[in-house]
Amino acid sequence: MDVGIAIDKDVCIGAGQCALAAPGVFTQDDDGFSALLPGRADGGGDPMLREAVRACPVGAITVTEA
């Protein structure tokens, strides 16, 4: 199953909860906003991906499954 992850940069407040919940998928960019780690646009099968999405206080992360 293909997974796509999107971070709405206009909504992200840089809380960093995604990077704390799933450090194998998310990081923070130089401005402190959420970013995907290189090569992790599909989540890399990380079991904590869904928790990271739930942890975002502003709902800036969406995951789609194809």
Side-chain angles (χ1 to χ4, degrees):
M1 181 179 318
D2 289 332
V3 174
I5 304 168
I7 302 168
D8 188 334
K9 299 289 188 176
D10 293 329
V11 175
C12 179
I13 59 171
Q17 295 304 306
C18 58
L20 289 172
V25 178
F26 298 96
T27 187
Q28 289 180 288
D29 64 18
D30 292 338
D31 295 320
F33 294 104
S34 296
L36 291 169
L37 288 169
R40 294 300 185 161
D42 63 354
D46 193 310
M48 294 303 291
L49 175 60
R50 302 278 181 221
E51 182 56 35
V53 173
R54 282 191 291 275
C56 180
V58 293
I61 304 167
T62 56
V63 174
T64 56
E65 296 178 5

